[in-house]
Amino acid sequence: MKPKVLITKRLYPEAIQHLRQFTEIEYNNAEEGFTAEELLKRLADKQGVVSQLTDKFTAEVMDKLPNLKVISNVAVGFDNIDIPGATKRRTLVTNTPEVLTETTADFTFALLMATARRVVEGDAFLRSGQYQEWQIDLLCGYDIHHRTLGLIGLGRIGKAVARRARGFEMIVLYHDAVRLPREVERGLGLEFAPLDTLLAESDFISLHVPLLPETHHLIGAPQLAKMKRTAILINTSRGPVVNEEALARALASGRIAGAGLDVYEHEPTVHTGLLDLKNAVLQPHIASASIDTRTRMCVMAADNMVAALNGRRPPNLVNVELWPQA
Ligand code: DGY
């Protein structure tokens, strides 16, 4: 008998085919996921779940799912899952790293450029019929080339953003819990900086940290107060890394110049203070959303699930202590 798997939301078809071959699937081929109650009901007889960021797996939820052996999350992030809780219950958790690195870095740069050069405002200005004549100071923004970019978090995506910044001849500072070996810093053209120095010296600050208790509200009023008045904050990591209330105030008062956001503290709700601001470019969590990348993420999640349910170590295991590498 094939193991039973729930797919909580629509996936690209390549992944469905693969899962169908090796498992008995219940597929919610819809944009909307299940309510917490419905999710529990549907998972009662399943050994695996292919989940998305909107599905929450708390210890309380997992307690009610003793048959659940594998949670295959279609994302590199896994803050929707209580990892220590899963490990305690011996539930394998997998994610989809690497395949989205370059696409997310592309989008981070797109957001940075759109915010600095007022691309969204320009589009709205033109469509509303306001473009009557070329003007010397029309929608002037900030230069990107030769400016200083501060990267907070230098994992795979942070490094990929740093590579792009080199093309713009930017000075790139970074701050991370772990400093890179000097030769890697040199190779990437990066300079390590204490957080306060990075905040004070950067023209653009881009966040690339996972959401952890230590990174919750990493950027709040005290950090915004240390930034240049001309600074632009970019967030393609996780919303709660930024105190959105403090950011809305800083943007409204001109404490900083702008923000490009793809993620929100209480997603999908966006702080009302941000919605009316022209100096905030707001996107609906689409940094990894290219067709190729999202297809690869789905296929990777399917591979992880099939491996785990067939007694093989899943290639992208998060709670590695459950299956140490031979
Ligand atoms: C992730 O993978 O964690 C992103 O937020 C969605 O691609």
Side-chain angles (χ1 to χ4, degrees):
M1 224 170 57
K2 287 179 180 173
K4 291 185 177 170
V5 169
L6 177 71
I7 302 167
T8 64
K9 267 163 106 163
R10 181 171 304 146
L11 293 184
Y12 275 88
E14 290 83 341
I16 303 296
Q17 279 161 22
H18 189 46
L19 283 162
R20 230 188 262 288
Q21 227 181 319
F22 295 96
T23 67
E24 186 185 322
I25 61 169
E26 179 180 336
Y27 179 29
N28 179 31
N29 187 1
E31 280 159 24
E32 231 179 276
F34 298 117
T35 60
E37 206 177 49
E38 187 70 19
L39 186 66
L40 277 178
K41 209 165 93 192
R42 293 186 186 255
L43 277 173
D45 63 338
K46 306 291 188 299
Q47 286 80 56
V49 58
V50 179
S51 59
Q52 300 191 26
L53 293 171
T54 39
D55 305 312
K56 308 279 176 236
F57 288 93
T58 59
E60 203 191 345
V61 167
M62 290 185 279
D63 269 342
K64 295 185 180 134
L65 298 169
N67 296 325
L68 191 66
K69 301 276 172 283
V70 188
I71 303 174
S72 172
N73 214 34
V74 193
V76 65
F78 40 78
D79 45 281
N80 56 316
I81 304 164
D82 174 352
I83 301 297
T87 307
K88 200 167 135 206
R89 289 160 186 80
R90 306 204 63 76
T91 305
L92 301 173
V93 178
T94 65
N95 69 339
T96 62
E98 287 170 19
V99 286
L100 49 67
T101 300
E102 301 299 329
T103 303
T104 304
D106 283 351
F107 191 81
T108 302
F109 234 86
L111 204 46
L112 184 155
M113 295 182 76
T115 312
R117 297 302 309 274
R118 306 177 66 178
V119 173
V120 177
E121 274 182 87
D123 184 88
F125 178 85
L126 186 138
R127 286 174 198 268
S128 63
Q130 293 177 75
Y131 182 38
Q132 300 297 327
E133 196 175 319
W134 190 91
Q135 294 161 33
I136 196 77
D137 57 353
L138 178 63
L139 289 167
C140 285
Y142 294 92
D143 276 330
I144 296 155
H145 65 91
H146 298 98
R147 294 294 163 108
T148 300
L149 169 66
L151 298 169
I152 302 183
L154 201 80
R156 286 178 285 250
I157 298 172
K159 286 192 190 110
V161 174
R163 286 198 300 274
R164 282 155 179 77
R166 288 185 71 175
F168 285 77
E169 300 185 59
M170 297 178 93
I171 297 164
V172 186
L173 307 178
Y174 81 97
H175 183 79
D176 198 291
V178 183
R179 185 168 177 177
L180 293 174
R182 306 301 147 96
E183 60 279 10
V184 180
E185 283 182 359
R186 269 194 298 275
L188 286 166
L190 293 171
E191 226 179 277
F192 181 84
L195 186 57
D196 282 356
T197 309
L198 181 147
L199 294 173
E201 292 185 4
S202 301
D203 298 299
F204 300 94
I205 294 164
S206 189
L207 306 175
H208 300 286
V209 289
L211 178 60
L212 301 167
E214 309 83 274
T215 59
H216 183 263
H217 283 188
L218 183 68
I219 302 295
Q223 291 72 31
L224 290 158
K226 288 178 183 144
M227 295 180 191
K228 294 181 181 178
R229 286 200 173 267
T230 51
I232 288 177
L233 178 71
I234 305 298
N235 190 8
T236 53
S237 64
R238 283 292 182 265
V241 172
V242 176
N243 179 335
E244 223 164 76
E245 167 78 34
L247 176 62
R249 272 194 216 169
L251 290 168
S253 66
R255 173 80 265 313
I256 67 167
L261 307 175
D262 187 43
V263 287
Y264 305 91
E265 201 172 343
H266 305 288
E267 222 164 295
T269 305
V270 178
H271 191 286
T272 47
L274 292 171
L275 291 170
D276 293 331
L277 293 175
K278 287 199 172 152
N279 55 350
V281 173
L282 308 175
Q283 296 295 309
H285 204 149
I286 55 169
S288 67
S290 74
I291 297 162
D292 284 351
T293 289
R294 287 284 168 89
T295 303
R296 284 193 203 107
M297 288 165 69
C298 293
V299 169
M300 189 175 240
D303 285 347
N304 285 330
M305 178 60 76
V306 168
L309 289 179
N310 281 285
R312 283 180 285 115
R313 190 182 195 275
N316 307 104
L317 186 60
V318 172
N319 41 4
V320 288
E321 55 276 51
L322 286 184
W323 202 322
Q325 240 155 351

